[in-house]
Amino acid sequence: MIGRISPVLFGLIPLVFALFQTYYNPVQSDAAVYQKVLKQGDLHVIDLSFKPGDRYVVEFKTTGLSNLYVMEAKHYKVFLEKGEPPSSATSFTMLSDLSLALPTNTGGEYKLVIKQLSDGEVKLLIKPGTVEDAVGRMRRGENVLRNSLEAKFPAGSVYVIPVYQFVMGTSLEIEVQGAERTMVLTSAEYLAYQKGGKGLETLCVRSRCIQGTGSMTLVSEDFGDVYLLVQTGGAPASLKMKVIATPEMLLYVGTCG
């Protein structure tokens, strides 16, 4: 089928880690690093410093809606100037809930940026761990969650969501409520859509498209970029998505992200 690994994000990182890396080192497990009510338009920034071999998990929830970006610290000034995240950032939009694994083999300094879209309480937990811990679970035959999210979309729009960490040996689970169409696109299909070469009706391939409310599960069979496109009609829509690593992933990339 299809999968995703971004050459922009990971070109300098060995393939065995195959995803965006960063993290903050909390002093205790399940540490609540941030909890506060944010107003629409507020920005909250957390400095992330991590060492090689860490694998932490961001657990984010809001009673409103948020965008969340993880970027190299050196790019943060440009983000403030332009108001848009750099192409190398890991970006999530219209979020109410997010779980994101962040393993590393390099170490470095990053920024986690929360941009609040509507008023609400924001809570962020950071769960410490290591890549080796996750690899050990997979070697014992367990599946490992790489990322999951819940998002909400207003009526009458089309939203494109990059699918991170969906590589060979992983599965993608999607559940959608109230959308007109929800489809998984390869990078070639997404470019064709961007350039106006293909319409949504043509891109709605039965095996990778949900009409209205429904769900689907896909298994990655390559390392190509993947995009999720959600088209809403006269009513708002909601989306739940998970990317799960299976033990088979170890056969392709040697470790877990």
Side-chain angles (χ1 to χ4, degrees):
M1 235 289 297
I2 47 183
R4 173 187 174 85
I5 179 170
S6 171
V8 176
L9 292 178
F10 313 130
L12 300 180
I13 299 175
L15 183 60
V16 292
F17 287 88
L19 56 80
F20 185 77
Q21 326 294 345
T22 137
Y23 228 101
Y24 171 84
N25 290 316
V27 296
Q28 65 183 40
S29 181
D30 293 337
V33 293
Y34 182 71
Q35 185 171 356
K36 188 178 180 181
V37 173
L38 293 180
K39 299 295 185 181
Q40 180 179 351
D42 285 352
L43 280 181
H44 184 74
V45 183
I46 297 173
D47 292 320
L48 306 174
S49 181
F50 64 99
K51 62 184 183 297
D54 284 341
R55 183 190 187 272
Y56 294 92
V57 176
V58 174
E59 297 284 356
F60 170 84
K61 293 182 182 293
T62 179
T63 58
L65 283 178
S66 305
N67 290 350
L68 187 147
Y69 314 111
V70 183
M71 67 188 73
E72 292 182 82
K74 64 184 180 181
H75 293 150
Y76 180 64
K77 183 178 179 181
V78 176
F79 166 75
L80 290 179
E81 292 172 351
K82 294 186 176 181
E84 296 291 337
S87 60
S88 59
T90 298
S91 302
F92 298 92
T93 59
M94 311 299 290
L95 290 175
S96 60
D97 194 296
L98 174 71
S99 176
L100 177 63
L102 299 169
T104 177
N105 67 333
T106 58
E109 304 297 322
Y110 286 76
K111 301 278 190 181
L112 187 153
V113 181
I114 300 166
K115 180 178 181 180
Q116 198 67 9
L117 303 179
S118 61
D119 297 358
E121 183 181 54
V122 168
K123 183 177 182 180
L124 181 71
L125 303 179
I126 295 176
K127 297 182 178 181
T130 66
V131 170
E132 193 56 38
D133 289 339
V135 171
R137 290 172 57 193
M138 295 175 70
R139 286 173 178 162
R140 294 191 295 271
E142 298 180 33
N143 291 340
V144 174
L145 180 69
R146 305 195 85 187
N147 66 78
S148 66
L149 64 82
E150 296 185 22
K152 299 177 181 178
F153 309 105
S157 298
V158 176
Y159 294 88
V160 178
I161 305 164
V163 180
Y164 297 104
Q165 306 173 335
F166 185 46
V167 298
M168 293 179 71
T170 61
S171 63
L172 172 64
E173 298 179 1
I174 300 167
E175 180 181 338
V176 63
Q177 299 269 348
E180 285 198 357
R181 295 186 185 93
T182 304
M183 60 196 77
V184 179
L185 306 180
T186 65
S187 57
E189 290 170 334
Y190 176 55
L191 288 174
Y193 168 72
Q194 275 191 316
K195 295 177 179 179
K198 288 188 177 182
L200 299 181
E201 297 81 4
T202 304
L203 292 169
C204 189
V205 179
R206 184 174 181 180
S207 62
R208 295 185 276 118
C209 185
I210 301 169
Q211 298 272 14
T213 295
S215 62
M216 66 177 166
T217 299
L218 302 174
V219 177
S220 177
E221 296 178 354
D222 59 43
F223 289 100
D225 288 353
V226 173
Y227 299 86
L228 185 63
L229 189 148
V230 180
Q231 180 187 21
T232 61
S238 62
L239 169 76
K240 294 181 180 180
M241 185 180 74
K242 292 181 180 180
V243 177
I244 300 169
T246 72
E248 291 184 1
M249 180 179 164
L250 296 178
L251 300 175
Y252 301 113
V253 298
T255 189
C256 171

